[in-house]
Amino acid sequence: MRDRTEALMANERIRIVPSVLPADFARLGEDVQALEKAGVDRIQWDVMDGQYVPNITMGPNVIAACRPLVGLGFEAHLMVKNPDPMIGRWVEAGCELVIVHAETCLHLHRTLGSIRELGARTGVALNPATPLSAVENVLDLLDLLLVMTVNPGFGGQSYIATMEPKIAAARAMLDEKAPDVELEVDGGISIATIGAAAAAGARTFCVGSALFADRDNLGDAVQRLRAGATEGLTTA
Ligand code: DX5
């Protein structure tokens, strides 16, 4: 474990993590390569099973097909009713980070331990109504905390600004008890909202529709988002 100061400094870094939900699924490989070229930090795969959320997206085979095309890290955001039976499949497909929803895990401590045993990093996502207390007893098994700023299931939704106190409380909890843990927000993040989310304490930003809205200028869009987050930090 890094020393506290080193961990806190490392987590000050701004990370832009595109969701491929709004990508062109007819040319997904080209889109992930364009994202790498645009200078993003990781790629998030929004996995949906039509049970936990009223939408279905992709399985491990799609992720595995894209894995050799880029050097970027992949994170699987599992919006599925029961993640345990397939945990290993996402790691085998090439995801270095597996994010489960606390709301879907009967035994969250055990699930996170199984992800670590597979050699992957762990993430827990909390829906807007789910309190931070859901993770306070598993911080030792956590590598990333994902605070949802929309209700899961679809891209293009509006940012829920009332999550900002929760983001700030998460920042305070992690700074005090788990400075190595990355704090990510997901949902409705755009140039209009990233500053407020950064000021509240987020450092990793999952962005879907706002990034792909400027599909032909992804690099500029990534730079604008980074600048917006940094500006939010300076005004915090
Ligand atoms: C919701 C998804 C979205 C996606 C980002 O289930 O998790 O939040 O990643 O989509 P945008 O950026 O369009 O809100």
Side-chain angles (χ1 to χ4, degrees), residues 19 21 44 46 48 77 79 148 150 152-157 186-188 206-209:
S19 157
L21 198 56
Q44 182 180 102
D46 275 318
M48 302 180 189
H77 175 191
M79 290 165 275
M148 293 298 291
V150 294
F154 299 92
Q157 300 180 84
D186 179 350
C206 180
V207 188
S209 44

Side-chain angles (χ1 to χ4, degrees), residues 45-48 56-65 86 89-90 93:
W45 298 86
D46 275 318
V47 176
M48 302 180 189
I56 295 178
T57 53
M58 77 281 292
N61 295 344
V62 173
I63 299 173
M86 286 186 65
R89 297 285 306 279
W90 311 107

Side-chain angles (χ1 to χ4, degrees), residues 91-147:
V91 180
E92 288 158 21
C95 294
E96 66 179 34
L97 207 163
V98 178
I99 303 169
V100 293
H101 271 257
E103 305 89 349
T104 65
C105 296
L106 209 52
H107 304 288
L108 181 60
H109 186 280
R110 179 182 290 144
T111 299
L112 297 179
S114 64
I115 294 169
R116 282 269 180 88
E117 282 165 16
L118 290 163
R121 292 195 296 142
T122 63
V124 174
L126 301 177
N127 285 337
T130 306
L132 288 177
S133 58
V135 294
E136 65 186 8
N137 296 314
V138 293
L139 293 176
D140 60 312
L141 289 174
L142 205 53
D143 297 302
L144 179 140
L145 176 60
L146 177 60
V147 175

